[in-house]
Amino acid sequence: MTGRKTNLTEIVVLTVIVVAMAGCGRGRLAVLPGADQLPVIEELPNPFLFSDGSTVKTPKDWLRRREEIKAMMLYYQYGHMPPAPRNVKAEILSSETIYGGATKKHILLSMGPKRQIKVNLGMIVPNGDGPFPIILKNEGKGIFQVPIAEEIVKRGYIVADYARTDLDPDEPNNVGPAQAAYPDYDWATLAVWAWGGMRAIDYLEALPFVDKDKIVFTGHSRGGKTALLAGALDERIDLVVPNGSGCGGAGCYRFEAGRAETLDDITKPSRFAYWFVPRFRDFAAKETLLPFDQHFLKALVAPRALLSTDALDDIWANPFGTQQSYRGAVPVFEFLGASEKLGIHYRRGRHDQNEEDWRALVDFADMVFFDKAPPAGRNFDELPFEDAPKPFSWSPPRAGR
Ligand code: GTR
């Protein structure tokens, strides 16, 4: 056991250094231990523990640990993305006035080698000069699908959405346009979609009427997984709102209640194996070997803001596990002095990002961006599974020690 631990430590430390030095190109990536070399961790792993066994003691230490967590989660779960191409170009295909003064624009973004990746982006901008906070959503096919867009625009927010399937069509055994443009990267579909959101932000944050300190990124279900991944990695995103994201998103792998989707379910070749790197399936029915759980992804967002919105009857999306990973992320937000930036919201009902979810999102955004108190009865720290046992035994370091 001791011998194995020493090896593991050495490999992980070396790998992190190599990854940091080499960038993200697949050919140059070092190898982390395989599932069969990793120790069993029954509880939610300790995010403050470096892979060499030392602990985070200061917020500065956390920055180093954050890089380690990023490297690990991309290696085992999502794959590595190419850097920003810095050549995102926008063509405005149409522009019209709606809602008595707002502007609705259909934009085609092109990017990457030979600008061969093309992504449709929709945007509705309130009347006036701004700068306005912006809510960007990733969609499947099609754009302009936010259910209460008019209400949100009237509350002073830009709503925007992009068609993630323009980057990757959401089919197995398919090399989509983004993967074809960057064949040297091992990015799986969720990473491709998240990267597309970051590229939309490259364009949006440079617009004079966009408040680049108030960028929200959201999505539903597989789009929620996408949103959380992008939000964990891209520090330009000020508020991340995964909705109904469950397995591979805001739910954790180690704990679930009822028949929620498991790592084994989601990575089956007949289902969504292609959303993840192939080695992720090595952890099917062996979740306790994962050196992380999804509270690590949430922790990467801190000290920026994160709200997960979920439906209590959406059992497959593991609302219970979302509460447990929220609890696992709380200590990191607290440690970084950002406890009020982490929120959770449940409603009754099924798998959807409905009007109620959107209203919760905008109320939370109003609170973190403008210090506006939420309407009476709206809480962002209410845990519906009151009897759930605490999913970890570690305690957070005291900041500044
Ligand atoms: C389900 C899948 C979930 C979720 C959902 C969706 O079938 O099991 O992980 O992603 O699809 O995107 O609607």
Side-chain angles (χ1 to χ4, degrees):
M1 187 65 198
T2 318
R4 189 173 70 168
K5 194 164 181 232
T6 310
N7 286 339
L8 172 69
T9 301
E10 284 168 1
I11 294 167
V12 173
V13 169
L14 268 176
T15 303
V16 170
I17 293 166
V18 174
V19 169
M21 283 176 20
C24 295
R26 178 167 66 172
R28 293 164 298 176
L29 274 184
V31 176
L32 290 177
D36 52 356
Q37 293 171 281
L38 290 163
V40 169
I41 310 173
E42 299 281 354
E43 61 175 10
L44 290 186
N46 182 351
F48 297 107
L49 201 59
F50 281 101
S51 46
D52 68 0
S54 63
T55 49
V56 168
K57 292 197 181 65
T58 64
K60 202 166 157 224
D61 291 343
W62 173 255
L63 297 180
R64 254 187 322 125
R65 174 61 177 151
R66 197 173 172 273
E67 291 309 309
E68 210 174 69
I69 292 176
K70 263 162 59 175
M72 184 163 76
M73 296 200 76
L74 297 183
Y75 178 83
Y76 288 113
Q77 188 167 198
Y78 300 109
H80 303 85
M81 309 169 188
R86 299 182 191 283
N87 69 344
V88 178
K89 197 183 131 210
E91 187 189 342
I92 303 194
L93 301 182
S94 68
S95 179
E96 60 179 299
T97 302
I98 56 166
Y99 310 152
T103 310
K104 177 180 179 181
K105 291 183 190 184
H106 178 184
I107 296 151
L108 186 68
L109 300 178
S110 54
M111 64 193 79
K114 300 191 196 131
R115 290 223 177 79
Q116 58 188 290
I117 306 170
K118 310 235 183 272
V119 183
N120 284 279
L121 172 74
M123 171 158 70
I124 307 175
V125 185
N127 194 9
D129 295 335
F132 305 104
I134 181 165
I135 305 171
L136 174 66
K137 184 189 181 204
N138 71 94
E139 294 285 359
K141 293 189 177 67
I143 48 177
F144 298 120
Q145 291 187 49
V146 173
I148 48 166
E150 180 167 7
E151 182 180 317
I152 299 172
V153 168
K154 293 208 161 128
R155 285 178 69 167
Y157 288 77
I158 300 170
V159 282
D161 51 5
Y162 69 95
R164 60 175 182 253
T165 51
D166 290 347
L167 292 129
D168 189 291
D170 203 359
E171 289 158 9
N173 307 316
N174 190 319
V175 177
Q179 287 165 332
Y182 292 98
D184 292 339
Y185 291 82
D186 67 346
W187 49 344
T189 295
L190 292 173
V192 173
W193 291 340
W195 185 88
M198 298 177 196
R199 303 296 65 88
I201 292 170
D202 293 348
Y203 164 67
L204 293 166
E205 70 159 359
L207 298 173
F209 53 86
V210 169
D211 185 340
K212 64 184 175 56
D213 296 323
K214 297 184 180 63
I215 296 177
V216 185
F217 190 43
T218 188
H220 169 56
S221 203
R222 63 199 76 187
K225 306 178 209 300
T226 301
L228 181 56
L229 175 57
L233 300 176
D234 191 331
E235 294 178 51
R236 297 171 303 172
I237 300 174
D238 302 287
L239 166 60
V240 189
V241 188
N243 181 88
S245 60
C247 193
C252 57
Y253 292 111
R254 282 176 174 77
F255 302 105
E256 58 180 64
R259 182 62 178 98
E261 184 171 32
T262 63
L263 198 157
D264 179 37
D265 293 323
I266 203 166
T267 59
K268 278 198 171 39
S270 57
R271 297 191 71 250
F272 301 117
Y274 62 96
W275 289 353
F276 305 92
V277 287
R279 71 175 65 87
F280 195 46
R281 186 146 175 80
D282 298 345
F283 296 91
K286 295 181 198 157
E287 290 82 354
T288 54
L289 294 176
L290 283 172
F292 58 84
D293 211 313
Q294 293 302 88
H295 62 306
F296 276 31
L297 204 59
K298 294 183 171 182
L300 292 180
V301 178
R304 293 169 293 125
L306 167 63
L307 172 73
S308 48
T309 48
D310 285 272
L312 284 169
D313 306 300
D314 188 7
I315 303 301
W316 185 245
N318 198 8
F320 176 84
T322 296
Q323 169 180 305
Q324 296 303 70
S325 68
Y326 164 89
R327 292 173 75 185
V330 165
V332 177
F333 279 79
E334 279 177 359
F335 178 67
L336 297 176
S339 21
E340 77 293 350
K341 299 274 185 65
L342 179 63
I344 194 159
H345 179 269
Y346 288 94
R347 60 165 169 82
R348 287 241 67 105
R350 300 196 169 273
H351 193 57
D352 190 11
Q353 187 170 20
N354 70 13
E355 300 186 1
E356 166 63 3
D357 300 310
W358 279 96
R359 290 197 179 104
L361 182 161
V362 183
D363 289 344
F364 191 76
D366 273 354
M367 190 178 86
V368 298
F369 292 156
F370 303 111
D371 253 341
K372 273 192 211 160
R378 170 90 77 214
N379 301 305
F380 295 111
D381 57 1
E382 210 169 279
L383 303 184
F385 304 95
E386 287 170 13
D387 300 334
K390 191 174 170 200
F392 56 90
S393 58
W394 42 268
S395 14
R398 269 189 283 127
R401 259 200 312 181

